Amino acid sequence: MKIRAKLAKDATIRFISHLDMAGALEKAVRRAGLPIAYSEGFTPRPKINFASALALGVTSEAEYVDFELKERISVAEFVRRLKEQLPRGMRLLAAREVAAGAPALMSEVNAASYLVEARLPGRSSREIAAAWEDFLARETIYIFKETKHKRRDLNIRPLILKARLTPRAEGGTWELLLRAGSTGNLRPEEVLAAFFAETGWEGTVERIHRTGLYIERWGKLLTPLVEPRALEEAGENE
Amino acid sequence: MADLQETLERILPRVEKPARYWGGEWNEVKKDWNEIPVRMVLAFPDIYEVGMSHLGSKILYHVVNARPDALLERVYAPWVDMERELRAAGLPLFSLETKTPLARFDLVGFTLQYELTYTNILNILDLGGIPLKAADRQEGDPFVLAGGPCAFNPEPLAPFLDFVVLGEGEEVLGEILDLFRDWKEQGGTRREFLEAVAAVPGVYVPAFYDVKYHPDGSVAVVEPNRPGVAERVKKRVVHDLNRASFPESPVVPFLDVVHDRAMLELFRGCARGCRFCQAGMIYRPVREKDQETLLRQAEKLLKSTGYGEISLASLSSLDYSHIAELIDALVDQYGSQGIRVSLPSLRADSFAVEQARKIHEVRRSSITFAPEAGTQRLRDVINKNVTEPELLAAVQAAAEAGWNAFKLYFMIGLPTETDEDVLGIAELARKVANLKPKEGRITRVTVSTSNFVPKPHTPFQWEGQVKREELRRRQLLLHDRLKGRRLEHRWHEPEQSFLEAVFSKGDRRVADALERAWRLGCRLDGWSEEFRFDVWEQAFRETGIDPAFYANREIPEDEVLPWDHLDPGVSKEFLRAERARARRGERTPDCSRERCSACGVCPALDIPIRRRGEAR
């Protein structure tokens, strides 16, 4: 069976990398004695798959993880046992059974929402709001993006799905909904860096918090847990 | 420490792997600082990933934190980026658990695992706000202590340490903490505590001993400078490991550390008697845990940590009396749960290959054997009792079991070594590469050569290290002969090995060069990217210390050794006799299998002499 869970990564463990957090979850699952399934081959790995990697330093209240189990177990039991074994800073928020053949989270999730706190020393609230409005009004916003495979100029404007700024003197809070996953992935710090570059202002990103991961389908935003193929549910409501 | 916490959160995003400095791992013990009278920090003088892989530290963490009246927190050497940030922010080095600056602890304990971590000790003290020299510490400053294998010659660190603990720490540390708690309650002076602790068996207070030198620079005498101090300090050992305190719930790091697995210690000591090996001498005698104890401990360890691998960690794990049964039982019980059993090193024989096969090490990685020397003559000199036919049979068996990459470990510069022995390494490697297994094939043979470092309390303690230029010539000689298909040669640069020898065999005068080198910026010397030999040369020059006197000089057997007043239980007569046998190419059998070799350790420590597998 497959159980999909929603986890939080709190500020106390924001300095733990995504890979290390995955390792910690793996160990928690073993301590909990959950009947996790293993991959085949010389180095069998437990079948635990994250929807999306989270950068070091970023907190989140919406990390989705699929667990493939080799025996049936109630979702309530799964939640109870795993909760006891999670390290401080990792919280299990909700879980549901999903169809065994449900597509991989990683391939489904295509949008992510964030809260970003940034500082812009010496700038008034009004100045910041106006500059942000101009920035968003542009049809194209190019950034230089370097990945393992290629270096290119990328227009990130179409990847900013929604944005709302609450400005204040010398900074503000940005609520961003950005394209994520294999169809184009934009990180919030890239948006702010482009904004800083555009304005020529010295700004610093103070805090990034992921508030949601979504499957955008037919113009609607679904969370991976209310996705129609989900079956059984436990824990807090979405 | 709200300020420290805030500053830390500001600087951590700028350093590599901030989790090294953050704590909060599973099974971390965080006690209420204000409720606990005795506060100690265990300082591992290397980076987090190395320190968190060290079994001894896990044991001490457990032993101290199990006491209601004491706490033990952790600190590791900061990497260069973190040191820069700490100094720039004016932030003192702090413990991981409660983020407390080191200077606020009662006791700061270092483990001495490796000579090239010594500058890190000075750096940790300095960053922690603690006066470097014991003599400069005032009432209210922490006591700085040290233990571990290199504590068997702590003289190069003597001015920096308040006291040193010889041997296994789990029992004696308890006695020290008892004493400390009482002393603190009664409000005694620093001097009073040091006098009290010096009376604890296994504890050495360097300041209570004077060293006199001959005009030629050799040590004339090391003697107590006050009454009531033992002339020789004897090491401590745990007599029954089955009853020893065992860390059932070790801290589980978030970071991928060097040994990221559960560690099951099968036994202590090793009776093989390799004459170059300090661990083989100072950890004697062999004391095994019962199989029932081990299976019980394995279960608790895996349950409390969630590790997917359990390593059988001992000096020569396959020498455990019931190793085959133990491996069978572990594989039987945990194999189906996706938990692997692993062995840290293998003897070069087919029994070893058979055991490795059972735990599915095949194709996971290469397989490593350590013949140590290239000819039978030299292997007899060092008492490494493996023969060429045994090695070739082991490789053949391993290749047929499915391994195809082989690593062979050797040392260059062993006593009596000639070019013939050096070239013997190449010949042996070639024979291994040319083996024709019935199934499978040998695709790669990697020869790894380190440089021999003579160590205190071994039969080779009197030997001088071969000079650097000569070591390099021999490494290159071998390198030329190891060219060829399937052959690969890796070797250590002689400069680091030279410095290891200086600090391994150094006396108290070497401390000046150590401090100078640290002031000139040396640290993390065990990391080749940070090691700066030119700066070390400058430090020796400026302090007027001749490093070759310590590293390269052969010491006459009748000369007083800087570590003669420290007693690992193995007698000096035995070491002398072993050296003579080495010169004659005579082997000494494993005392736990054949006859007692009369090293003296069992009677010295009041431990009954026992054969392998004999009931206690």
Side-chain angles (χ1 to χ4, degrees), chain B residues 316-525:
Chain B
S316 172
S317 296
L318 286 171
D319 284 343
Y320 180 62
S321 300
H322 311 287
I323 188 69
E325 297 95 306
L326 179 69
I327 290 176
D328 289 343
L330 289 172
V331 169
D332 208 43
Q333 190 154 2
Y334 300 109
S336 61
Q337 298 171 36
I339 295 167
R340 293 175 359 91
V341 181
S342 67
L343 289 160
S345 64
L346 287 184
R347 264 190 347 240
D349 62 31
S350 25
F351 174 77
V353 173
E354 186 50 41
Q355 301 312 311
R357 218 161 99 109
K358 289 198 304 209
I359 57 180
H360 308 290
E361 292 266 15
V362 180
R363 290 200 201 166
R364 180 177 162 264
S365 57
S366 59
I367 189 166
T368 304
F369 297 112
E372 309 290 3
T375 59
Q376 193 59 49
R377 183 200 71 79
L378 192 51
R379 284 194 294 274
D380 289 346
V381 167
I382 63 175
N383 205 40
K384 182 81 192 184
N385 293 332
V386 57
T387 63
E388 184 176 304
E390 276 168 346
L391 174 71
L392 294 178
V395 172
Q396 177 99 12
E400 285 166 5
W403 277 278
N404 48 38
F406 294 82
K407 281 188 194 156
L408 302 176
Y409 283 8
F410 295 94
M411 271 186 278
I412 294 287
L414 285 163
T416 76
E417 182 182 72
T418 63
D419 282 0
E420 195 182 323
D421 300 305
V422 176
L423 297 174
I425 295 173
E427 272 170 52
L428 193 55
R430 213 167 283 283
K431 281 181 192 161
V432 167
N434 289 338
L435 280 173
K436 297 276 176 283
K438 291 188 200 80
E439 297 163 56
R441 61 204 190 95
I442 295 169
T443 55
R444 179 148 298 273
V445 178
T446 305
V447 172
S448 182
T449 47
S450 61
N451 303 298
F452 168 68
V453 178
K455 297 277 183 172
H457 307 290
T458 67
F460 293 157
Q461 63 181 348
W462 295 278
E463 306 291 337
Q465 187 181 47
V466 173
K467 289 204 168 112
R468 297 199 302 283
E469 307 76 59
E470 174 61 13
L471 282 173
R472 180 164 285 115
R473 187 192 68 81
R474 294 186 198 177
Q475 293 276 19
L476 288 170
L477 176 71
L478 176 60
H479 199 71
D480 279 346
R481 300 295 178 99
L482 276 173
K483 288 181 180 147
R485 223 159 47 91
R486 301 193 298 231
L487 287 176
E488 190 182 6
H489 180 215
R490 293 191 187 152
W491 51 296
H492 290 265
E493 291 291 335
E495 281 71 25
Q496 276 178 320
S497 313
F498 173 71
L499 210 59
E500 280 172 48
V502 173
F503 286 103
S504 174
K505 293 179 66 179
D507 58 36
R508 290 187 184 188
R509 293 168 298 185
V510 176
D512 285 346
L514 175 65
E515 186 179 343
R516 187 82 200 119
W518 169 72
R519 289 196 188 279
L520 290 169
C522 288
R523 58 214 57 187
L524 299 161
D525 301 291

Side-chain angles (χ1 to χ4, degrees), chain B residues 222-239:
Chain B
V222 183
E223 56 187 2
N225 56 22
R226 67 197 56 222
V229 176
E231 279 187 24
R232 294 192 80 210
V233 180
K234 196 189 285 179
K235 80 168 177 198
R236 293 290 294 269
V237 291
V238 172
H239 283 229

Side-chain angles (χ1 to χ4, degrees), chain A residues 38-99:
Chain A
Y38 282 83
S39 65
E40 303 290 319
F42 281 112
T43 47
R45 307 290 312 165
K47 291 189 172 174
I48 301 173
N49 293 299
F50 277 75
S52 161
L54 195 65
L56 198 96
V58 179
T59 55
S60 170
E61 57 189 272
E63 295 308 291
Y64 293 90
V65 188
D66 278 349
F67 300 85
E68 201 175 315
L69 304 179
K70 56 189 178 194
E71 287 164 31
R72 287 206 65 80
I73 172 174
S74 79
V75 175
E77 171 81 357
F78 174 89
V79 168
R80 188 184 61 75
R81 278 158 69 177
L82 187 55
K83 264 187 173 173
E84 283 174 4
Q85 299 297 333
L86 287 178
R88 196 161 54 94
M90 275 170 87
R91 282 180 299 126
L92 182 55
L93 302 175
R96 264 191 175 183
E97 180 174 1
V98 292

